[in-house]
Amino acid sequence: MLQKLEELKKEFRESVEGLTDKNSLAKFKSDYLGKKGKLNDILKGMRSATTDVKKSVGAAANEFKQEIQESLVKQLAKIEIDEINSQLKKSWQDVTLTDDVQVKGLQASGYHPVTLIQREIEDIFISMGFDILDGPHIEDDFHNFEALNIPATHPARDMQDTFWFTDMAHLLRTHTSCIQVRGMEAHEPPFKFVGPGKVFRCEATDASHEMAFHQLEGMMVGKDISVANLIYFMKTLLSEIFRKDVNVRLRPGFFPFVEPGFELDIECLICGGTGCKVCKQSGWVELLPCGMVHPNVLRAGGIDPEQWNGFAFGLGLDRLVMMRYHIDDIRHLHSGDLRFVEQFKAY
Ligand code: PHE
């Protein structure tokens, strides 16, 4: 019996790796382990065997059974991986194909209006000598709050409802101001850059609020930078975006990372400043929070505030898109509805 077992083992080992699909694997399993399978066939003789033989054959048979089960599990995993790989091969698509290559069944849609506006604003800033920086969506406490003059106990943390990770040390960035911090860490002044990107806030959604939206943060650091420089760049930016000169005004605004901080309003483009529904009859629309970078922020970014100063501003891209295209609900922007996106193929 032991010899027969050895032979069966050899036969099993030689054939198990040749199995290439799940059906033949199942059949193979019952051929070996089934009631009328090969193993039981050998063990039939056990009834009349001596106790010693029963013991040794029983132990060898159990060991073999375990080997069969383990090999079958391994082989099954191999078959499944092969299946996935061949499926991937069949459905492979070259995502780098450009639209001058005809892709059957695929239709090019438009750029998302936020992408369009982001690129346009990047171009405006590039033409004014700014760099474009990027930063991670998952940030740490330091880059999102601490370095921006918002320590742990600061009530300003409540200004932004934050998605925290369970370690309470990481979060989804609540603003692109983290890119300011990363920019300061990576550059020696003088410099000027903008950092566009998605930001996240734990807020209920409605016509003017989304959990994820887009900002574009800008920063300029140099010698003797003044509010006049800030106004100049903001005016240039806005008249480029809206393709005409716009009137702006500064109101005081509070953000812990700037001092003084401002809200920059533009004269309402719908009514020309006489008052309408969009500007709530005030003639002005709030568009751009900004200010002179707080010395603590410069210090946290490794810059000596005795020698250098600068301004920073944040632009809400979704709001800008809504104003330009007269979209009255921010949720359209994330709807994923192609009928919406297709309207913006070109500006
Ligand atoms: N980070 C601020 C916000 O998201 C905006 C801001 C940027 C304000 C830069 C001032 C300067 O609310």
Side-chain angles (χ1 to χ4, degrees), residues 111-169:
Y111 283 114
H112 194 282
V114 171
T115 306
L116 288 176
I117 247 179
Q118 182 181 319
R119 290 188 180 179
E120 207 179 304
I121 296 175
E122 284 177 9
D123 282 347
I124 296 170
F125 277 105
I126 288 171
S127 77
M128 296 194 285
F130 282 67
D131 287 331
I132 313 289
L133 301 189
D134 199 5
H137 289 169
I138 298 176
E139 267 296 3
D140 49 42
D141 190 294
F142 178 77
H143 289 91
N144 199 85
F145 289 126
E146 196 81 35
L148 288 160
N149 201 27
I150 317 176
T153 52
H154 200 291
R157 289 211 178 191
D158 295 339
M159 285 165 77
Q160 302 177 351
D161 296 307
T162 310
F163 285 114
W164 287 94
F165 283 77
T166 45
D167 68 359
M168 290 309 278

Side-chain angles (χ1 to χ4, degrees), residues 31-245:
D31 280 351
Y32 277 83
L33 296 180
K35 251 190 186 159
K36 295 190 177 150
K38 296 179 181 182
L39 188 62
N40 276 345
D41 203 33
I42 296 176
L43 299 179
K44 258 191 214 152
M46 287 277 265
R47 256 176 262 146
S48 51
T50 62
T51 319
D52 276 356
V53 172
K54 270 185 188 160
K55 243 190 199 164
S56 59
V57 174
N62 277 341
E63 210 176 276
F64 182 34
K65 228 185 226 172
Q66 206 172 341
E67 176 184 334
I68 294 178
Q69 265 150 356
E70 280 168 11
S71 307
L72 290 177
V73 169
K74 263 191 212 151
Q75 193 61 17
L76 180 65
K78 219 165 136 193
I79 291 173
E80 280 174 346
I81 289 173
D82 286 348
E83 264 174 18
I84 291 171
N85 281 341
S86 79
Q87 237 165 34
L88 282 178
K89 227 180 209 167
K90 264 189 251 155
S91 57
W92 186 84
Q93 264 177 15
D94 185 353
V95 292
T96 62
L97 285 180
T98 50
D99 43 12
D100 50 29
V101 182
Q102 284 293 320
V103 186
K104 229 175 149 194
L106 283 186
Q107 189 200 336
S109 187
Y111 283 114
H112 194 282
V114 171
T115 306
L116 288 176
I117 247 179
Q118 182 181 319
R119 290 188 180 179
E120 207 179 304
I121 296 175
E122 284 177 9
D123 282 347
I124 296 170
F125 277 105
I126 288 171
S127 77
M128 296 194 285
F130 282 67
D131 287 331
I132 313 289
L133 301 189
D134 199 5
H137 289 169
I138 298 176
E139 267 296 3
D140 49 42
D141 190 294
F142 178 77
H143 289 91
N144 199 85
F145 289 126
E146 196 81 35
L148 288 160
N149 201 27
I150 317 176
T153 52
H154 200 291
R157 289 211 178 191
D158 295 339
M159 285 165 77
Q160 302 177 351
D161 296 307
T162 310
F163 285 114
W164 287 94
F165 283 77
T166 45
D167 68 359
M168 290 309 278
H170 291 85
L171 48 94
L172 290 179
R173 69 176 176 202
T174 58
H175 49 188
T176 41
S177 303
C178 330
I179 302 179
Q180 260 191 58
V181 182
R182 293 190 177 275
M184 286 187 291
E185 287 170 342
H187 295 83
E188 288 291 322
F191 54 71
K192 43 190 192 297
F193 57 74
V194 292
K198 227 178 209 159
V199 299
F200 308 84
R201 301 217 184 147
C202 185
E203 285 185 351
T205 56
D206 63 26
S208 53
H209 293 90
E210 259 289 11
M211 293 185 307
F213 50 100
H214 303 80
Q215 291 187 334
L216 183 138
E217 188 94 1
M219 184 180 212
M220 176 173 185
V221 170
K223 298 262 180 205
D224 304 322
I225 306 279
S226 70
V227 176
N229 297 120
L230 168 65
I231 294 176
Y232 166 78
F233 279 105
M234 296 307 98
K235 264 192 99 155
T236 311
L237 164 72
L238 294 171
S239 47
E240 288 278 335
I241 295 176
F242 293 109
R243 319 245 150 139
K244 58 175 172 184
D245 270 340

